[in-house]
């Protein structure tokens, strides 16, 4: 299955929970000729799980809010190597 949200193309495998979201990396965040990925997102089960992650991260000294995202809510994290990671809960059904 594939569908589009503006510049994003979302590809979903019909027999699994795997989704691949493709979106352009904007020039303001990418170096010239940078072929790296935009970010990696992990879907968590529900809002309670996302809030549990907020608590875990807070305990580790990392204070990050839950913020709105296209189709859901998210926690955005930068790992020690500078990669953007996302924990995501879908709140909107796409077809």
């Amino acid at each position: 299955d594939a569908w589009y949200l503006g510049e994003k193309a979302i590809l979903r495998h019909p027999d699994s929970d795997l989704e691949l979201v493709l979106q352009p990396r904007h020039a303001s965040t990418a170096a010239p000729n940078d072929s790296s990925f935009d970010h990696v997102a992990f879907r968590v089960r529900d809002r309670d799980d996302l809030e549990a992650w907020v608590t875990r991260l807070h305990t580790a000294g990392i204070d990050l809010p839950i913020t709105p995202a296209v189709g859901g809510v998210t926690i955005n994290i930068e790992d020690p190597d500078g990669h953007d990671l996302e924990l995501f809960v879908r709140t909107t059904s796409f077809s």
Side-chain angles (χ1 to χ4, degrees), residues 29-79:
T29 60
N33 301 318
D34 183 0
S35 62
S36 66
F37 58 89
D38 180 73
H39 75 287
V40 175
F42 301 93
R43 190 182 323 168
V44 297
R45 183 178 22 233
D46 55 29
R47 177 77 184 224
D48 289 341
D49 280 353
L50 196 61
E51 290 175 3
W53 273 104
V54 169
T55 300
R56 284 185 204 114
L57 292 166
H58 178 75
T59 300
I62 303 167
D63 291 317
L64 295 170
I66 295 174
T67 58
V70 174
V73 291
T74 187
I75 299 171
N76 292 296
I77 304 165
E78 184 175 297
D79 78 5

Side-chain angles (χ1 to χ4, degrees), residues 69-92:
V70 174
V73 291
T74 187
I75 299 171
N76 292 296
I77 304 165
E78 184 175 297
D79 78 5
D81 293 322
H83 301 116
D84 294 324
L85 307 175
E86 176 184 10
L87 299 174
F88 177 80
V89 173
R90 178 176 287 167
T91 58
T92 303

